[in-house]
Amino acid sequence: MTRHAVPLHALGGPILPRAWFARPTLRVARTLLGKILVHRSSEGVTAGRIVEVEAYRGPDDRAAHTAGGRRTARNEVMWGQAGHLYVYFTYGMHHCCNVVTLGEDYPEAVLLRGLEPIAGLPLMTRRRTHRSRRSTLTDAQLGRGPGNLCRAMGIDRALNGADLTTGRVQLLDAPPVPTRDVRRSARIGVAYAGADAALPWRFFVRDTPAVSGPRRITRPEQTTRTHAR
DNA sequence: GAATAGATTGTCT
DNA sequence: GACAATCTATTCT
């Protein structure tokens, strides 16, 4: 991947409308692969192609922040309208960002875990290098993992609740990733969730270096089972 | 390549 | 007070 500038009009298609987000969470997760995340910040514009996500399915999902119907100040955004950003802080140093799905009072969301940089690579590198004391970061490392993705894109809790259809953080349409290139696995870092830890609700694009964690414990996507529970 | 530990603080019990 | 939807470096094998 090269670091030449990309014209902003070439980043992707139109902004995804609210109805696109107000769909079943596993379907939103699967179809988020390949879409373009853009942040038009005061520091500059950064953008990338989403290559890894995880679905979190609300009260019945013991891995979700809303497990058992928990509703707190932190997860309030998950309970609201689809198409908003849910950003939280974890492990004392990392932010993670999610896309809220479904409708009000259906607290589900999709965690963004991996991003292939498209535009603003120097800015992304600067944001990452600031804390990562690595001297060299490959393009694929910039947005690999939920914490790194947020840092590279300049996303923190100031953007919690931001409207993806009208705000400075946007999701642009782009061609879907072919089914043959989609892989699924259990979600990462949710061992505490008992049986729900094994649910195959992580989706990623195969053979993509910007994907975090295990890329081998995988299986081909089974589209007919997308809604299985 | 796999396993492990340390960093560091908001959130919830 | 315990732990977290993580990341990195280090220390194994």
Side-chain angles (χ1 to χ4, degrees), chain A residues 71-206:
Chain A
R71 184 168 188 161
T72 66
R74 178 176 69 158
N75 69 27
E76 182 61 30
V77 174
M78 280 186 75
W79 289 87
Q81 194 180 36
H84 290 253
L85 262 191
Y86 167 46
V87 185
Y88 67 89
F89 184 71
T90 191
Y91 290 103
M93 62 192 88
H94 299 295
H95 293 276
C96 293
C97 74
N98 301 251
V99 172
V100 176
T101 60
L102 295 176
E104 297 210 26
D105 296 327
Y106 291 87
E108 305 194 5
V110 179
L111 171 68
L112 306 184
R113 294 192 55 97
L115 182 101
E116 216 172 54
I118 292 176
L121 276 69
L123 176 53
M124 295 172 86
T125 303
R126 224 178 306 139
R127 285 169 172 156
R128 284 295 318 281
T129 311
H130 207 254
R131 278 207 187 176
S132 157
R133 46 180 93 136
R134 300 187 73 114
S135 49
T136 58
L137 281 169
T138 65
D139 292 351
Q141 287 173 315
L142 289 174
R144 183 167 68 199
N148 290 337
L149 182 155
C150 281
R151 180 155 293 279
M153 290 295 289
I155 294 174
D156 61 20
R157 273 174 306 170
L159 286 164
N160 186 37
D163 189 336
L164 289 163
T165 67
T166 60
R168 305 175 71 87
V169 179
Q170 304 161 347
L171 275 162
L172 309 184
D173 199 8
V177 174
T179 297
R180 66 176 176 277
D181 292 334
V182 176
R183 293 292 179 272
R184 299 178 66 164
S185 79
R187 295 169 293 181
I188 294 180
V190 296
Y192 56 84
D196 289 348
L199 295 168
W201 290 354
R202 171 176 177 243
F203 297 79
F204 57 98
V205 182
R206 76 164 182 189

Side-chain angles (χ1 to χ4, degrees), chain A residues 20 23-35 49-56 101 109-112 174-184 200-206 219-227:
Chain A
W20 191 92
R23 299 180 297 150
T25 304
L26 289 176
R27 183 146 295 281
V28 173
R30 159 67 180 87
T31 51
L32 265 173
L33 296 178
K35 301 299 185 253
R49 176 173 172 261
I50 294 171
V51 296
E52 180 188 358
V53 301
E54 283 175 357
Y56 285 88
T101 60
V110 179
L111 171 68
L112 306 184
V177 174
T179 297
R180 66 176 176 277
D181 292 334
V182 176
R183 293 292 179 272
R184 299 178 66 164
W201 290 354
R202 171 176 177 243
F203 297 79
F204 57 98
V205 182
R206 76 164 182 189
R219 59 184 227 192
E221 195 207 9
Q222 299 172 6
T223 47
T224 54
R225 306 255 312 180
T226 295
H227 293 281

